[in-house]
Amino acid sequence: MVVDELILGFDKALRTLTGQAQSNRPNPAQAGEAPLSAAEQRHAAGLMRINHTGEVCAQALYDGQALFARDAEVRAKLEHAAQEEQDHLAWCAERLTELDAQPSVLNPVFYGASFAVGAAAALLGDRVSLGFVEATEDQVCRHLDEHLERLPIADQRSRDVLKEMRADEERHGAEALAAGGDEFPQGVKRAMRLLARVMTETTYRV
């Protein structure tokens, strides 16, 4: 059974890292493509590259947590959230293509590190693991709010994607606490935000 789960996990990791993730929901970017200057397009692409890498990390985190979850109901909640995060991954990948940009070359590194962190959180128990989900999603919502402000005004397509993502992320965090997660202290959350800066600063350009 464990071997089967590992094989399925490896297959999912390959699909995540090779851009084969499929969305089960329509892409929320319904606005027409507005003209952007070369600088605006590069900036929007950099922000969406960060968000794409964030969704790669989300897949890895949830996969690591689900693999070692102790309770079947908790595992099911993690897997459902991961499916919605896969939608985000596909939407970000589509937007990068529209902006004539590539995903970060560092995605495999961040995937591996995130999977290890997710697994470690799960091994500490389901309450800690669910609390980690809430802390992570709180951080992601702050990060998305920042990007919504920094996007070029004309880039409504990217903005539509990020708004839909933010609604999902906020709900994932609330559901994790409602399922029994332990809310992390603000000091821990601040430390997590500082660590996340490593990802955002490096993937904006590469």
Side-chain angles (χ1 to χ4, degrees):
M1 185 65 176
V2 174
V3 174
D4 290 342
E5 291 178 349
L6 289 173
I7 292 173
L8 290 173
F10 182 71
D11 177 69
K12 186 177 180 183
L14 285 178
R15 286 188 281 111
T16 297
L17 294 171
T18 57
Q20 297 179 40
Q22 299 294 316
S23 171
N24 290 312
R25 291 179 288 171
N27 191 318
Q30 298 300 315
E33 189 69 75
L36 301 173
S37 69
E40 288 176 329
Q41 183 171 328
R42 284 195 301 272
H43 179 56
L47 295 179
M48 293 309 293
R49 184 180 296 109
I50 291 171
N51 290 305
H52 181 268
T53 296
E55 295 305 324
V56 168
C57 292
Q59 289 297 299
L61 285 168
Y62 278 118
D63 288 348
Q65 289 176 275
L67 183 62
F68 294 101
R70 300 174 186 179
D71 183 81
E73 186 174 345
V74 169
R75 182 180 298 108
K77 289 181 181 295
L78 292 167
E79 291 173 345
H80 176 71
Q83 181 59 63
E84 293 191 335
E85 299 286 352
Q86 183 173 299
D87 293 343
H88 301 173
L89 180 65
W91 298 341
C92 287
E94 289 173 19
R95 188 60 187 143
L96 279 176
T97 299
E98 293 171 353
L99 292 167
D100 195 26
Q102 298 294 321
S104 174
V105 297
L106 300 174
N107 280 348
V109 175
F110 285 116
Y111 184 96
S114 297
F115 184 90
V117 170
L123 290 171
L124 292 173
D126 288 343
R127 293 178 65 87
V128 172
S129 185
L130 290 169
F132 182 76
V133 169
E134 190 279 331
T136 301
E137 299 295 23
D138 176 66
Q139 173 182 294
V140 171
C141 286
R142 292 170 182 267
H143 153 88
L144 290 173
D145 287 341
E146 179 184 335
H147 281 202
L148 284 166
E149 292 183 2
R150 294 175 60 193
L151 277 171
I153 294 174
D155 189 5
Q156 188 60 44
R157 289 184 65 79
S158 295
R159 188 168 280 103
D160 287 344
V161 169
L162 297 192
K163 285 181 178 179
E164 188 73 15
M165 287 169 53
R166 193 198 185 285
D168 286 344
E169 309 292 9
E170 186 172 34
R171 177 167 46 79
H172 292 165
E175 289 175 348
L177 287 185
D182 291 329
E183 187 167 5
F184 284 19
Q186 287 300 316
V188 174
K189 291 184 177 182
R190 284 194 294 271
M192 290 173 66
R193 287 198 290 274
L194 290 174
L195 289 173
R197 286 292 175 187
V198 175
M199 183 272 282
T200 59
E201 294 295 332
T202 54
T203 58
Y204 179 80
R205 293 182 176 80
V206 296

